[in-house]
Amino acid sequence: MLPHRMFFRPSRDIPNASYIEMVSILMAGKLPIVIVALTIIMLAGFSLSARLDWVIVGLTATILALLSMRFAMIGKFRREMSAGGLSIAPARTWERRYRAVVWPYAALLGLLNFRITTTGDLLAHMLVIAEIFGFCAGLVTRTSVRPKFCAGALMLAAIPTSAGFLTVAANAADGRSGFAYLAVASLIATYSVSSLESVSYLYRTILAQLTAKQQLAGLARLDPLTALPNRILMFEQLEALLHASKTSEELVALHLIDLDGFKGVNDRYGHPTGDAVLKLVGDRLGKILRAGDIAARLGGDEFAVIQVGLRSYREAEMLGHRIVRALGEAYPAQEHAIFIGASCGIALGPVDARTADLLVERADQALYAAKRAGRGKVHFWKSDIEPPAVAA
């Protein structure tokens, strides 16, 4: 990607997980806001100590109000993150809110610098120079994750400041002073534009790191053999579905599946053939499930299916029998027809349990009962007591 193109790249081109983390980076840190506020107060106070200027008073008051809004916004954002994380739509909303505060703040800061520069003395000019370089450096460091946002704020603050020093240069009493102010104006403009290269580099580096992090996180939650969710991801998905079921009239069924006779496949045909059979098991589970249902491999020859949107336990029973039948069909391997079976234990949430750990434990107990009853059985937890059907 060419550096300038990222300033026009839509955020929708960025992977959602990476974009959400970028917004979280953008919204991090209250201390810089406090430091900026104190700097503005010092700068304006010093200028006003020489003479009262109501334009400077108004600009300063407005900037401090925007900084207060930004401070409160970050606090609210952190509370929302702590309450339940952040999805893509709220993340876009938070970025728009942040931009709606910071861009006006940057523009007003540029106007404040212009006013102080064109009406102040040499000492005030020194403070303005220190403030604008500090502001731009902090802005690049903190907001490079959103290049367009960063570049806009940078230009809104730097251009009026540079214009202020150009105005002073044009009205300078002597050539030497005029040259000095012209040099300051040029340096502010040059460093502001050249810092976009740093923004580009930081953005590309952070995006690459976040993308790699998300890919690794995804791989850590997938079974490498079947590409199904592994135990970690299955638990996360089950916990989320059980949480959602608290406000729904629908059931969530957990099917734990153990392959009958699979050890003999490895012993007779070897582990490569056993791996091929496990892949076929994953494929078959995927083909018989409805949209929204989830298949997972928990390890070895143990699989799981999360069935959602149930109105009655009979729907879980029907799927359990379909699973057992599908996995009991022949598996072609090495010019042989390999036959194995499957046993299935089922527990229903929130009827049997309201947490993922307990639901897994009870489905495992049901699976143990199914295996004791013989191969190819489907068994519910507490199957002698029919779970209450949910009203249609």
Side-chain angles (χ1 to χ4, degrees):
M1 184 196 310
L2 293 176
H4 70 277
R5 289 185 179 176
M6 69 184 59
F7 296 102
F8 305 98
R9 183 184 187 185
S11 60
R12 301 185 193 281
D13 292 345
I14 303 170
N16 286 352
S18 297
Y19 174 77
I20 290 170
E21 195 152 355
M22 285 178 170
V23 173
S24 299
I25 293 172
L26 194 68
M27 299 292 290
K30 290 184 174 181
L31 181 59
I33 300 175
V34 175
I35 294 174
V36 170
L38 293 175
T39 303
I40 297 300
I41 292 171
M42 178 189 68
L43 177 62
F46 183 84
S47 180
L48 292 171
S49 67
R51 69 182 188 87
L52 180 62
D53 186 326
W54 288 107
V55 173
I56 293 177
V57 171
L59 289 170
T60 303
T62 308
I63 290 172
L64 293 176
L66 289 172
L67 288 174
S68 298
M69 291 174 59
R70 182 179 164 195
F71 191 92
M73 185 186 303
I74 291 176
K76 186 176 180 181
F77 174 83
R78 289 180 177 179
R79 289 191 295 273
E80 183 173 312
M81 287 289 289
S82 300
L86 191 68
S87 59
I88 187 64
R92 298 190 193 283
T93 300
W94 278 112
E95 184 182 3
R96 287 194 296 269
R97 291 174 182 170
Y98 193 81
R99 184 171 59 241
V101 171
V102 175
W103 274 4
Y105 150 65
L108 290 171
L109 179 63
L111 292 176
L112 177 64
N113 290 342
F114 179 88
R115 183 69 176 185
I116 292 175
T117 301
T118 54
T119 60
D121 56 15
L122 177 61
L123 295 177
H125 295 166
M126 291 173 60
L127 292 178
V128 169
I129 293 169
E131 173 261 307
I132 190 61
F133 277 105
F135 170 82
C136 292
L139 189 70
V140 169
T141 302
R142 293 190 307 273
T143 65
S144 291
V145 290
R146 306 302 300 127
K148 188 192 304 184
F149 169 86
C150 181
L154 196 66
M155 295 301 107
L156 286 170
I159 291 174
T161 306
S162 181
F165 283 105
L166 281 175
T167 302
V168 176
N171 297 321
D174 58 86
R176 192 166 184 273
S177 298
F179 176 80
Y181 281 111
L182 178 62
V184 170
S186 300
L187 288 173
I188 292 172
T190 301
Y191 283 135
S192 297
V193 174
S194 63
S195 66
L196 296 179
E197 183 66 26
S198 297
V199 173
S200 170
Y201 172 78
L202 289 171
Y203 170 75
R204 285 183 281 114
T205 301
I206 293 171
L207 179 59
Q209 291 174 343
L210 292 178
T211 302
K213 176 183 174 181
Q214 299 300 332
Q215 289 173 344
L216 289 173
L219 291 174
R221 285 166 167 73
L222 294 179
D223 173 58
L225 180 63
T226 63
L228 294 175
N230 63 12
R231 183 180 294 271
I232 296 172
L233 183 54
M234 188 275 290
F235 265 87
E236 292 176 354
Q237 293 170 324
L238 182 59
E239 195 69 64
L241 289 168
L242 287 174
H243 180 76
S245 72
K246 295 176 182 177
T247 56
S248 170
E249 294 184 350
E250 297 178 340
L251 299 172
V252 176
L254 175 63
H255 303 252
L256 288 188
I257 305 150
D258 192 71
L259 301 181
D260 299 323
F262 179 75
K263 184 177 181 300
V265 176
N266 281 333
D267 293 343
R268 182 174 180 182
Y269 300 103
H271 287 282
T273 299
D275 288 347
V277 170
L278 291 174
K279 290 180 182 179
L280 290 172
V281 168
D283 292 342
R284 291 184 184 182
L285 288 175
K287 290 177 181 177
I288 64 175
L289 298 184
R290 303 169 306 171
D293 294 342
I294 301 165
R297 183 187 176 208
L298 306 186
D301 61 350
E302 187 176 2
F303 290 78
V305 167
I306 302 174
Q307 186 183 8
V308 299
L310 281 72
R311 293 287 179 173
S312 165
Y313 87 102
R314 298 187 189 282
E315 296 177 62
E317 183 181 33
M318 291 172 61
L319 178 60
H321 285 295
R322 284 204 306 272
I323 290 171
V324 169
R325 286 196 301 269
L327 300 188
E329 295 178 359
Y331 295 85
Q334 293 187 353
E335 301 180 355
H336 299 284
I338 296 175
F339 289 90
I340 58 174
S343 299
C344 181
I346 305 172
L348 298 173
V351 174
D352 297 333
R354 294 181 177 271
T355 66
D357 287 336
L358 185 56
L359 195 67
V360 170
E361 178 183 333
R362 292 182 170 172
D364 194 54
Q365 292 171 359
L367 175 60
Y368 180 71
K371 292 184 74 68
R372 281 190 307 171
R375 296 177 56 161
K377 302 295 183 181
V378 176
H379 204 285
F380 281 86
W381 184 75
K382 291 185 178 179
S383 60
D384 57 321
I385 303 175
E386 180 174 301
V390 178

